[in-house]
Amino acid sequence: MFRFIAGLSLILASVQVSAALDIQTWQTTKGAKVMYVHSPGLPMLDVEVVFDAGSARDGDKWGLAAMTTAMVGTQTPELNEQQISQQTNALGARISGNVGRDMASFSLRTLTRESILQPALKLFTESLTQSVFNPQIFERERQRALVGLQQQQVSPSQLAQNAFWKGVYDQHPYGHPVSGSVESVKALKLEDLKAFYQRYFVSANATVSIVGDLSRTQAQEVVEQLLADLPKGSAAPALPKPKSLSEAKQQIIDFEASQTHFRMGQLGVERGHPDYYALFLGNHLLGGSGFGSLLMEEVREKRGLVYGVGSGLAPLKVAGPWVSYLSTKNESAKEAEKVVKDTLVAFMDSIDDQHFQAIKDNLIGGFPLRIDSNAKIIGYISMIGFYGLPLDYLEQFPKIIESLSKQDVLKAWNRHFHPEEMVTVMVGKPA
């Protein structure tokens, strides 16, 4: 995997930007989508390459995407693992990789000084496009992954998370853990990783995002250099739509602990769904705004059942979940569950005007802080590019939030969520 290599520490000051970012986009001759923002405030460059190669592409080989991502950048035809690490440190660059259900992503952060930029880009390019899958490194990474998976088996929070996704998605590609299982990772072969790399790590399946002190012409040159050795290939096929629940599901996993970890939720919406704004605003009020949320007020402040409680939406290529979460003493688990459900039902019935306006003001007033650095900007434009959102998404987001009424929010929540059909998971010894 691309290691998180700090090298010489690169401390980024916040860059004040407006929501009206000048996002430019184009497509390379090999079919890759490019997202670009010129940010001259600092002599730095951020590059992120995202492939539609997340765990949803594992098939029956769970953990394949995660293991492939872990291997990319560990060795090239010219450089071994130690040499890659030494060169990255010497340049003061930062190279990293990550994998989720939808995507595998790889990023570079470097100074734009020519003597640093060109060798950093060359190293990043070779690591990404000319990876060598060394059998010894593969076995080491497999053992590392197995240790992590074994640790998950004694983590009640992770057990609850995995059970919740399985409960919501069942046999859908989102239903299994991103990192796979002990059994599936043990069964992986090096040839599986090579085949996955050759199928999904191709130009037509890539989105490249660039933010920094480079002109568009320079950015185009960077992309051409970066993708020159990647085959064109083809985009990944569309994912199947998950099936909505028709009845409630409840699972209690017996776990020796003083606390019970709780998850409750169901299918939400995909990225780009027109109801997302209303659902996002409603969730911010219900459980997404920390101490300003209804769940925090009802479960913690009024009853003292938890230290923390919240909820979140995770929109993906196809409908992602909405989930509420908390941990509490075993003796109070059932009471906490009831309070969460009652709070959800009451919220979906009526919203207090004053609280609603306060949450809107909080979201709109804090929005500029979401894009006040290059690192945040590249995260957003990668999302916009990968999910095919409008280029003015960031500009329109606070305007749409401002335009929503509480009736809009209530209608959207009642269209998509049904309290009587929730997936509920408890891990612990709920009394």
Side-chain angles (χ1 to χ4, degrees):
M1 180 181 187
F2 280 123
R3 302 284 174 226
F4 180 82
I5 305 171
L8 300 175
S9 295
L10 299 176
I11 302 173
L12 293 182
S14 292
V15 181
Q16 296 301 318
V17 293
S18 69
L21 290 174
D22 180 19
I23 303 173
Q24 300 180 43
T25 185
W26 63 90
Q27 195 169 46
T28 69
T29 54
K30 289 185 176 181
K33 180 187 286 188
V34 184
M35 308 291 290
Y36 161 73
V37 171
H38 181 222
S39 180
L42 293 169
M44 296 204 62
L45 175 69
D46 282 275
V47 181
E48 184 169 42
V49 184
V50 176
F51 297 97
D52 188 340
S55 64
R57 306 299 175 183
D58 282 347
D60 59 359
K61 295 177 169 53
W62 295 2
L64 178 56
M67 282 295 295
T68 304
T69 304
M71 288 290 293
V72 171
T74 53
Q75 187 171 323
T76 73
E78 302 297 327
L79 299 172
N80 61 31
E81 194 171 25
Q82 184 179 8
Q83 290 169 326
I84 292 173
S85 176
Q86 289 172 342
Q87 288 195 22
T88 309
N89 280 328
L91 292 166
R94 184 180 299 170
I95 296 175
S96 60
N98 194 26
V99 64
R101 282 181 164 79
D102 273 346
M103 64 180 75
S105 61
F106 304 89
S107 61
L108 166 70
R109 176 170 292 172
T110 181
L111 293 171
T112 53
R113 189 188 309 158
E114 195 68 14
S115 60
I116 294 176
L117 176 62
Q118 290 308 318
L121 284 170
K122 182 176 184 293
L123 181 63
F124 182 57
T125 300
E126 291 178 0
S127 299
L128 180 62
T129 65
Q130 299 178 39
S131 278
V132 172
F133 288 66
N134 183 302
Q136 287 75 35
I137 297 177
F138 169 62
E139 286 305 325
R140 184 196 70 199
E141 292 301 319
R142 189 210 301 271
Q143 292 307 313
R144 191 190 303 248
L146 289 172
V147 169
L149 289 166
Q150 288 161 356
Q151 290 173 342
Q152 288 184 18
Q153 293 177 349
V154 294
S155 167
S157 176
Q158 192 63 56
L159 288 172
Q161 188 80 341
N162 291 345
F164 173 76
W165 282 84
K166 177 65 175 175
V168 172
Y169 289 97
D170 195 24
Q171 299 302 312
H172 187 272
Y174 287 163
H176 67 269
V178 173
S179 51
S181 66
V182 170
E183 295 75 18
S184 68
V185 170
K186 283 182 178 179
L188 290 176
K189 297 178 173 58
L190 190 59
E191 294 306 314
D192 296 328
L193 276 67
K194 291 179 180 179
F196 189 90
Y197 180 70
Q198 292 167 359
R199 166 61 186 92
Y200 292 107
F201 287 64
V202 294
S203 290
N205 200 40
T207 300
V208 183
S209 299
I210 297 179
V211 176
D213 189 19
L214 290 184
S215 68
R216 171 160 175 160
T217 299
Q218 291 172 311
Q220 289 173 320
E221 292 171 355
V222 165
V223 175
E224 292 303 322
Q225 172 187 332
L226 185 61
L227 302 182
D229 292 328
L230 274 187
K232 180 177 181 179
S234 59
L239 292 171
K241 292 185 177 181
K243 295 179 180 178
S244 298
L245 298 173
S246 58
E247 60 183 7
K249 289 184 183 179
Q250 184 173 62
Q251 182 178 9
I252 297 177
I253 300 174
D254 186 65
F255 190 89
E256 194 64 44
S258 61
Q259 296 264 317
T260 291
H261 288 254
F262 168 86
R263 299 287 187 277
M264 185 186 79
Q266 59 186 197
L267 281 181
V269 296
E270 70 277 9
R271 281 282 179 197
H273 193 288
D275 281 345
Y276 172 70
Y277 303 94
L279 297 178
F280 177 84
L281 176 56
N283 180 74
H284 205 66
L285 172 59
L286 175 63
S289 56
F291 283 96
S293 71
L294 295 173
L295 285 176
M296 188 69 82
E297 179 182 348
E298 295 295 331
V299 185
R300 171 178 163 149
E301 299 301 320
K302 289 185 178 180
R303 296 169 177 85
L305 299 175
V306 300
Y307 177 76
V309 59
S311 63
L313 285 162
L316 296 166
K317 277 274 188 182
V318 293
W322 172 81
V323 61
S324 57
Y325 47 86
L326 60 84
S327 63
T328 186
K329 293 183 295 185
N330 289 328
E331 308 84 67
S332 56
K334 290 295 185 179
E335 182 184 358
E337 176 190 18
K338 183 178 186 303
V339 176
V340 170
K341 289 182 176 178
D342 289 347
T343 304
L344 173 63
V345 170
F347 160 76
M348 293 177 63
D349 180 62
S350 177
I351 299 175
D352 175 74
D353 288 330
Q354 187 174 355
H355 201 169
F356 180 72
Q357 189 59 49
I359 287 294
K360 283 180 68 171
D361 293 343
N362 173 266
L363 269 177
I364 296 167
F367 191 81
L369 296 177
R370 294 172 178 262
I371 49 174
D372 65 353
S373 71
N374 287 2
K376 293 178 182 178
I377 293 171
I378 200 164
Y380 272 112
I381 68 171
S382 289
M383 178 193 75
I384 290 169
F386 183 81
Y387 290 108
L389 303 177
L391 291 183
D392 64 350
Y393 176 82
L394 293 173
E395 183 179 359
Q396 293 301 318
F397 192 93
K399 297 178 182 178
I400 295 174
I401 294 295
E402 174 62 35
S403 70
L404 290 170
S405 68
K406 68 176 187 179
Q407 287 74 25
D408 295 327
V409 171
L410 290 172
K411 287 178 181 178
W413 272 76
N414 281 278
R415 270 196 297 271
H416 294 280
F417 300 127
H418 309 284
E420 70 282 1
E421 297 172 2
M422 292 280 169
V423 171
T424 304
V425 174
M426 290 187 182
V427 179
K429 289 185 174 295

